[in-house]
Amino acid sequence: MNNVNNALLSMYAWTETGLVAVAGFCIQAPLVLTWPFDRRKVVTGRLFRLIGATAARLNPFWKFSVHGNPVPPGPRTVVVSNHESNADCFLISYLPWEMKWLGKDSLFKIPVVGWSMWLAGDIPVRRGEKDSAQQAMAQCARWLDKGMPIMIFPEGTRSKTDELLPFKDGAFRLAIETGADVLPMAVSGTRRALPKHSWRFATSRGMVTVGTPISTKGMTLDDVGRLKDLAREQILALRATLKPLTGVEDAPTDAPA
């Protein structure tokens, strides 16, 4: 595919994503009427994930899927994943269960998308601000108390390379303090789906797979480092199983699927 065709298809993909987001929000907004009967905001949350999955399915560059038959997490679970690109959120939305996501507050300021995140019950956090992080963790703990799993990228931001960035403590402190399990998952193939600092899409066969829950029973905050290592090892192993399936190392990145 030449640059002109890529640009045209990328413009189509962005337009399609925007239209799906607007249409989805128009359906999602009236569903706030379910909140008095749905204290976990499952209805508005699941609809938002379906909006993301629908936009991904209509994207001509992407072929996303779930690998294996993942078992839904328990109600008190902190889910952690590696983070390759902004396309990760679309891919993970293919999973058939609801989680509340921790995300940077700038995303919540994006028209329509940010409004939908708020309606879904997702949690904003300002990077580098201790008070914001504490408030976000408190909100995560309240969701866990309601029996709602939490989704966190422990790297904190997208990795620019194939190497995982160091994991931050927050997700693991939260799990230990609330007695929650930690559920590692891995994504592969999304780095080229929407390259960092680029508006153009590229062909991607993205996959997500889910690991085995790690119990925090009996752990104290002294075990945060060990818990991080256990999750990191599992994510690396999960990602290694996906790489041959997603063709990360040798697939072309300049033609649509």
Side-chain angles (χ1 to χ4, degrees):
M1 173 187 292
N2 60 40
N3 288 335
V4 173
N5 287 339
N6 177 275
L8 291 173
L9 269 181
S10 292
M11 285 189 285
Y12 160 79
W14 280 116
T15 301
E16 167 267 309
T17 300
L19 290 174
V20 170
V22 170
F25 174 75
C26 291
I27 299 171
Q28 185 191 27
L31 294 177
V32 298
L33 296 175
T34 65
W35 285 0
F37 318 100
D38 181 15
R39 58 193 293 267
R40 300 190 305 157
K41 300 183 181 179
V42 174
V43 173
T44 50
R46 281 304 298 153
L47 180 58
F48 182 48
R49 316 310 163 196
L50 290 172
I51 293 169
T54 299
R57 289 188 174 97
L58 295 176
N59 189 311
F61 292 94
W62 295 351
K63 186 175 182 180
F64 287 175
S65 62
V66 177
H67 179 63
N69 298 295
V71 176
R76 188 172 285 272
T77 302
V78 177
V79 183
V80 293
S81 173
N82 62 307
H83 196 8
E84 294 193 349
S85 84
N86 284 332
D88 295 340
C89 300
F90 293 90
L91 172 56
I92 296 173
S93 292
Y94 277 56
L95 292 170
W97 61 72
E98 173 59 2
M99 309 179 280
K100 303 308 181 189
W101 294 55
L102 181 69
K104 58 185 180 180
D105 71 325
S106 59
L107 295 174
F108 289 77
K109 298 175 183 177
I110 300 173
V112 181
V113 173
W115 306 337
S116 285
M117 291 176 69
W118 181 81
L119 290 174
D122 292 337
I123 306 113
V125 62
R126 289 188 296 277
R127 288 178 182 170
E129 293 191 18
K130 185 176 180 180
D131 289 345
S132 176
Q134 290 176 341
Q135 292 171 9
M137 288 298 106
Q139 191 173 348
C140 287
R142 288 193 291 271
W143 278 121
L144 291 170
D145 288 341
K146 292 179 181 180
M148 176 57 66
I150 295 296
M151 171 68 211
I152 298 177
F153 292 112
E155 293 169 280
T157 188
R158 294 161 286 162
S159 175
K160 295 180 180 180
T161 69
D162 193 48
E163 298 297 321
L164 265 65
L165 297 173
F167 283 2
K168 298 182 183 298
D169 290 350
F172 307 97
R173 289 180 62 93
L174 173 68
I176 291 173
E177 289 175 343
T178 59
D181 289 347
V182 171
L183 178 62
M185 68 169 59
V187 297
S188 178
T190 52
R191 187 182 315 283
R192 61 172 178 250
L194 187 57
K196 195 168 184 177
H197 305 309
S198 174
W199 67 274
R200 294 193 182 196
F201 293 91
T203 298
S204 169
R205 181 183 294 274
M207 286 188 175
V208 58
T209 191
V210 180
T212 303
I214 303 169
S215 174
T216 62
K217 186 177 181 180
M219 289 189 179
T220 69
L221 292 181
D222 291 336
D223 296 301
V224 166
R226 180 166 68 91
L227 184 57
K228 285 198 298 184
D229 289 342
L230 290 172
R232 189 181 186 90
E233 289 170 6
Q234 201 172 141
I235 289 172
L236 286 169
L238 291 168
R239 192 178 64 162
T241 67
L242 293 180
K243 281 188 173 183
L245 304 175
T246 57
V248 167
E249 297 174 348
D250 54 10
T253 61
D254 59 353

